[in-house]
Amino acid sequence: MGKNGKKRKHAQFAQDEDHETPSPSITGVASTLAHLQAQGNPLQRSRTSDSLPLGAEANQEDGQEDWTVIGKNGKRLKRSKYPALDYSKLHRQQSSLRVADLQDLVLYCLADGVSPQWIAVKERSSVKKAVVLLVPGLETGMFDGNIPLEECPGETGQGSDQHNEKVDKKSVFPVASNVANHKDARSRNAPLSPDDYMPVRLAVDSLPVPLKPLGSIFAHRWPVKAPGDDKFSKIHSPLHAMLTSPIPKSQEEKRQELKIKGAKPVREGKHWESVKTPITAFVASREELMVNEYTPHPALFAQQEEKAREHLSRQAAKKTIEAGWVDTLVDCVEDGEIPDRDIQQGSLTAGRTVLAMDCEMCKVEDGELALSRVSIVGWDEEVVMDELVKPKQRIIDYLTPYSGITAEKLATVSTTLEEIQKRLLELFTHHTIIVGHSLNADLMALKITHPFIVDTSLLYQHPRGPPMKSSLKWLAQKYLGREIQKGHGSHGHDSIEDARACLDLVKLKCQRGPSWGTCEAAGEPIFKRLSRSAKAGTSSAGTVDGKKGAIVDHGAPQKNFGAMADFCFGCSSDSEVVEGVKRAVLGDSDGSTIPGGGVEFTWARLRELENIRGWSVDHRNSSTGGTELEPGPPKQDPSSAALSATVALTVQHIQAIRNFLPPCTLFIVYSGTGDPRAIGRLQEMQRQFKREYAVMKWDELSVKWTDVEEQALKQACRVAREGLGLVAIV
């Protein structure tokens, strides 16, 4: 209707629209509050200072907030606003942000996600790309001074003060200036207030020198709570929380899961597709075996120099023939290959002989573990070998609650380890693949090496990622719906049952495909969701025209989350990660791998800060095989100078990534977790206590778990879940 109450003609409507300022699509609480605040105050509509565009101030000052497309004859064809992130002072956070909230922001800008409730996005359709950077080791204490950082040589922090003055004037948060001090003044055990959930302004003048460049990129630091469970003192994977959208559950499914103890059954995603894969695709590489404490077979080394170095290493570790070790009769890895013409079409074994093995051990003199039983089953699950073995050394503990071995069972046994080794050398040929769970311990007891290993603890990665490993009992319950090891802690395990469970897990992996057992099987990967969203300028979404994604990470990310991305780059340093992100975002100049223009979503991780702080290692004594707690306090941070230098280098990498990002790119940096070292040590201490308590008296325990340790674990969990996030549109 027109102003005079009469119906307007189409031309009049179009004329009125040209004189009115177009308003963005407003949905969500944060967006609505910001919009209503601006509508109710004419002065606020003319000033950007009362509705803060996070990370977009420089663009506005430079006159880049708007752009106009000019057609022929100078006629204006289109006028659009630059995307921005707003937060109204009327909106109050009731809890810390979650990693899932950051994921919601990405999906809202690039796909079909709902409007986030904690922040308003203006002109979200103008956001072209998103780059999410995980930086473990970056902590809130570095920003507020609790973790001192020294000034590094050559760093002055200049060049950001002018930007900082602009940010100060535009701050919309009435309590942002004192939130950090307020949080530091409280005890960690004190109840939280709403102010603790508010974002903290990054004032460049108050930032430590190594962190000052972040003040020119991001306006605020948000508290982000890592995924986990405070009740059971557990931390979940921040990778999984960002890269996987959970499958919606019905009320009935939720009620049924509450009745289930232990691992919940796996649920297939709506768009899950099985891909039959031969078992040869899951054979562990030499690097994987060595990282997971396997003794590598000589055939895994192609060069004579490498074989010589490995032989010297085995001599030092007393793992040579003279020490009773044997290697299967395989000269080189290529000997195990079978011509395609000899492989039956669709065969999951690819012509190989597949044997699943599990061993039981007992403790002998000097505290070593010796073989007491070996069980092997074939692909058809028929028993190939099941032998009890008499150790040479005197047995001091039969470990009956776990092994099921007793003195009575071994009383009449005369079979020796050497006899078992001789039989295995005939059984394990160059066409044999050995399957098992954490087989490094079994092969250590057998004192034998073999080049072709499929380890179910590596196939089905722990939800928190390496170096954590899921137990066979948990995997069987989750993926097979089977209860095994019911005699754990009483009359022991059945090694044949365990071997069959390993075999069935491998068969399931072969039938379902490499992504089975990863986050894709339990939820929808963010990459699949993006692939259903149309690229800018296309009419509909689909697998051809849908948006693409990439993962850039240390090591071999294609083994887990990288398998779901359109492009995947494995790196060995943070500098390579930066170059990988550049390729993903901008594309290859010749379009050889990534087409020009790059992908729409990129996830990457910088790990050098995490490594120098000791966050990425297992906090147990490696010299004892990870079974005993390392005495003394947990490993502390390196020197202030070394830490400051690494922080400064990490910030330089973040700044380098920001510098090559194209306009209208959503840039997110998050730490994932807080310090996990204390909770890692306490959890291992708790596990060791439970193992000993089941078979020992209280006075004999080497570790005792009381309410003091329980409360310390809960506190460590709270600390480990205190992460941070930085968000901007560049």
Side-chain angles (χ1 to χ4, degrees):
M1 301 293 290
K3 295 181 180 180
N4 56 3
K6 296 182 179 180
K7 185 175 181 180
R8 295 179 296 176
K9 296 181 179 180
H10 178 74
Q12 293 175 323
F13 176 79
Q15 184 179 7
D16 290 344
E17 287 293 308
D18 291 338
H19 288 84
E20 294 179 2
T21 301
S23 59
S25 175
I26 302 295
T27 57
V29 174
S31 301
T32 303
L33 288 173
H35 178 64
L36 291 176
Q37 184 183 25
Q39 292 293 331
N41 189 338
L43 180 60
Q44 288 181 339
R45 292 200 302 269
S46 63
R47 298 175 56 199
T48 60
S49 61
D50 288 334
S51 185
L52 177 64
L54 300 180
E57 296 84 7
N59 290 337
Q60 291 179 349
E61 294 294 329
D62 296 337
Q64 298 178 5
E65 180 186 1
D66 308 319
W67 70 85
T68 303
V69 180
I70 305 298
K72 295 180 179 180
N73 302 324
K75 184 179 180 181
R76 184 176 69 180
L77 301 179
K78 177 183 179 182
R79 185 174 185 272
S80 178
K81 287 185 175 294
Y82 200 91
L85 302 175
D86 285 4
Y87 187 92
S88 172
K89 65 183 180 182
L90 299 178
H91 183 64
R92 309 293 292 179
Q93 292 291 115
Q94 300 301 317
S95 63
S96 297
L97 295 183
R98 305 167 302 150
V99 176
D101 293 323
L102 300 178
Q103 182 200 68
D104 291 342
L105 177 60
V106 173
L107 293 175
Y108 179 65
C109 292
L110 296 184
D112 56 351
V114 298
S115 175
Q117 303 297 304
W118 55 281
I119 200 168
V121 184
K122 291 187 175 181
E123 303 297 335
R124 65 144 176 165
S125 60
S126 299
V127 177
K128 306 302 180 185
K129 296 176 181 287
V131 174
V132 179
L133 197 61
L134 175 60
V135 188
L138 193 64
E139 277 195 280
T140 300
M142 297 177 178
F143 290 82
D144 55 31
N146 287 333
I147 300 177
L149 297 176
E150 297 180 357
E151 180 175 343
C152 300
E155 289 184 338
T156 62
Q158 296 177 355
S160 300
D161 294 341
Q162 183 178 2
H163 173 80
N164 178 55
E165 294 176 0
K166 298 175 184 177
V167 173
D168 290 345
K169 294 177 182 179
K170 295 179 179 180
S171 179
V172 65
F173 309 104
V175 295
S177 60
N178 62 4
V179 165
N181 293 333
H182 174 74
K183 186 173 184 178
D184 295 339
R186 294 184 301 99
S187 167
R188 285 186 182 269
N189 294 323
L192 296 176
S193 73
D195 291 344
D196 293 296
Y197 308 131
M198 298 287 287
V200 180
R201 178 176 53 82
L202 293 183
V204 178
D205 287 339
S206 62
L207 286 176
V209 172
L211 296 175
K212 285 186 181 295
L214 295 180
S216 62
I217 304 174
F218 305 98
H220 291 80
R221 166 174 56 84
W222 294 79
V224 178
K225 193 171 185 179
D229 190 330
D230 288 334
K231 181 179 180 180
F232 296 100
S233 300
K234 293 184 178 180
I235 307 297
H236 300 158
S237 170
L239 285 72
H240 186 280
M242 174 60 71
L243 299 177
T244 307
S245 298
I247 304 173
K249 301 177 183 178
S250 64
Q251 292 297 325
E252 180 61 26
E253 289 174 328
K254 292 179 181 179
R255 285 193 294 268
Q256 290 297 326
E257 286 193 357
L258 291 176
K259 301 177 182 178
I260 300 174
K261 295 182 179 180
K264 304 297 186 295
V266 66
R267 302 170 64 245
E268 295 183 2
K270 181 179 179 181
H271 303 279
W272 172 262
E273 294 181 2
S274 295
V275 180
K276 285 190 175 182
T277 307
I279 192 173
T280 50
F282 304 119
V283 173
S285 65
R286 185 184 75 181
E287 291 73 19
E288 287 177 313
L289 294 175
M290 296 181 70
V291 167
N292 289 278
E293 300 179 351
Y294 281 84
T295 300
H297 190 279
L300 294 171
F301 299 90
Q303 304 297 327
Q304 290 299 325
E305 294 80 2
E306 294 179 331
K307 291 185 178 182
R309 285 196 300 268
E310 178 59 23
H311 181 70
L312 293 175
S313 176
R314 290 181 61 173
Q315 279 185 328
K318 298 181 179 180
K319 296 181 178 180
T320 58
I321 296 177
E322 295 75 15
W325 279 70
V326 295
D327 304 316
T328 56
L329 305 179
V330 182
D331 294 330
C332 61
V333 174
E334 288 72 18
D335 290 347
E337 297 179 357
I338 296 179
D340 293 340
R341 64 177 180 274
D342 297 333
I343 301 176
Q344 183 179 358
Q345 186 176 3
S347 172
L348 297 180
T349 62
R352 304 292 189 94
T353 301
V354 180
L355 300 174
M357 181 175 68
D358 186 67
C359 298
E360 303 295 347
M361 280 76 77
C362 58
K363 186 177 291 187
V364 297
E365 292 177 322
D366 300 328
E368 295 182 355
L369 294 177
L371 182 71
S372 57
R373 182 183 179 184
V374 54
S375 301
I376 300 177
V377 299
W379 185 258
D380 58 359
E381 299 195 6
E382 291 295 324
V383 177
V384 176
M385 177 188 292
D386 185 24
E387 293 285 349
L388 293 173
V389 183
K390 186 79 169 183
K392 285 184 177 181
Q393 305 94 321
R394 184 175 64 88
I395 299 175
I396 60 175
D397 190 347
Y398 287 89
L399 302 177
T400 304
Y402 310 103
S403 67
I405 303 298
T406 63
E408 291 75 15
K409 289 183 177 181
L410 294 183
T412 59
V413 175
S414 59
T415 305
T416 64
L417 174 62
E418 290 75 11
E419 292 174 344
I420 295 296
Q421 288 178 332
K422 184 178 179 180
R423 292 177 59 182
L424 292 181
L425 289 179
E426 297 176 356
L427 191 61
F428 296 161
T429 70
H430 55 284
H431 287 160
T432 302
I433 295 176
I434 307 176
V435 170
H437 188 81
S438 295
L439 270 175
N440 56 306
D442 301 291
L443 296 176
M444 177 75 72
L446 287 165
K447 293 187 177 182
I448 194 171
T449 67
H450 189 67
F452 308 117
I453 303 294
V454 174
D455 191 335
T456 51
S457 70
L458 304 180
L459 283 188
Y460 295 84
Q461 289 197 356
H462 193 279
R464 288 178 56 192
M468 305 295 291
K469 293 182 180 180
S470 300
S471 67
L472 180 60
K473 179 181 179 70
W474 187 89
L475 291 176
Q477 185 177 5
K478 184 175 183 66
Y479 294 103
L480 303 177
R482 183 187 306 173
E483 288 284 347
I484 65 172
Q485 300 179 356
K486 294 181 180 180
H488 182 83
S490 57
H491 57 272
H493 302 175
D494 182 351
S495 52
I496 294 180
E497 177 187 55
D498 290 353
R500 285 172 173 160
C502 291
L503 188 64
D504 289 341
L505 285 169
V506 172
K507 288 181 179 180
L508 191 62
K509 188 84 169 182
C510 292
Q511 292 167 355
R512 297 300 183 92
S515 297
W516 182 256
T518 65
C519 59
E520 182 173 359
E524 182 181 38
I526 191 173
F527 302 101
K528 278 197 173 183
R529 193 162 175 180
L530 290 171
S531 68
R532 298 198 301 271
S533 300
K535 288 186 177 182
T538 59
S539 58
S540 61
T543 56
V544 177
D545 297 328
K547 295 179 178 177
K548 304 295 184 182
I551 281 184
V552 186
D553 197 6
H554 286 240
Q558 66 273 12
K559 291 286 185 178
N560 193 11
F561 292 96
M564 303 169 291
D566 298 286
F567 303 98
C568 184
F569 300 98
C571 307
S572 59
S573 67
D574 283 358
S575 298
E576 292 185 13
V577 171
V578 174
E579 291 302 316
V581 173
K582 187 174 183 179
R583 285 187 61 191
V585 173
L586 303 180
D588 294 325
S589 57
D590 57 356
S592 56
T593 302
I594 300 181
V599 300
E600 285 75 20
F601 174 73
T602 304
W603 182 94
R605 174 164 53 173
L606 302 178
R607 304 203 67 175
E608 291 178 0
L609 178 59
E610 174 189 25
N611 293 336
I612 196 174
R613 301 191 68 187
W615 287 24
S616 59
V617 299
D618 193 357
H619 308 293
R620 293 173 288 181
N621 190 349
S622 58
S623 63
T624 61
T627 60
E628 300 292 337
L629 285 174
E630 187 175 354
K635 179 181 177 182
Q636 301 298 320
D637 276 333
S639 65
S640 180
L643 179 61
S644 299
T646 307
V647 170
L649 182 59
T650 300
V651 171
Q652 289 178 15
H653 291 320
I654 296 174
Q655 194 173 30
I657 292 175
R658 185 261 173 266
N659 289 340
F660 61 67
L661 294 181
C664 304
T665 297
L666 175 65
F667 189 27
I668 297 177
V669 175
Y670 73 113
S671 63
T673 67
D675 192 337
R677 292 172 293 186
I679 189 174
R681 284 178 51 83
L682 287 168
Q683 285 176 336
E684 175 57 27
M685 180 178 176
Q686 186 183 49
R687 286 191 290 267
Q688 184 171 333
F689 166 77
K690 290 181 178 180
R691 289 194 298 266
E692 295 182 0
Y693 186 75
V695 296
M696 298 180 182
K697 296 179 180 180
W698 179 264
D699 294 338
E700 298 174 347
L701 299 178
S702 63
V703 175
K704 295 183 179 180
W705 191 263
T706 66
D707 186 65
V708 175
E709 288 76 20
E710 184 68 28
Q711 296 305 316
L713 177 61
K714 291 185 179 297
Q715 174 63 18
C717 181
R718 288 192 290 268
V719 172
R721 296 191 67 187
E722 292 180 357
L724 62 89
L726 309 171
V727 185
I729 290 182
V730 300

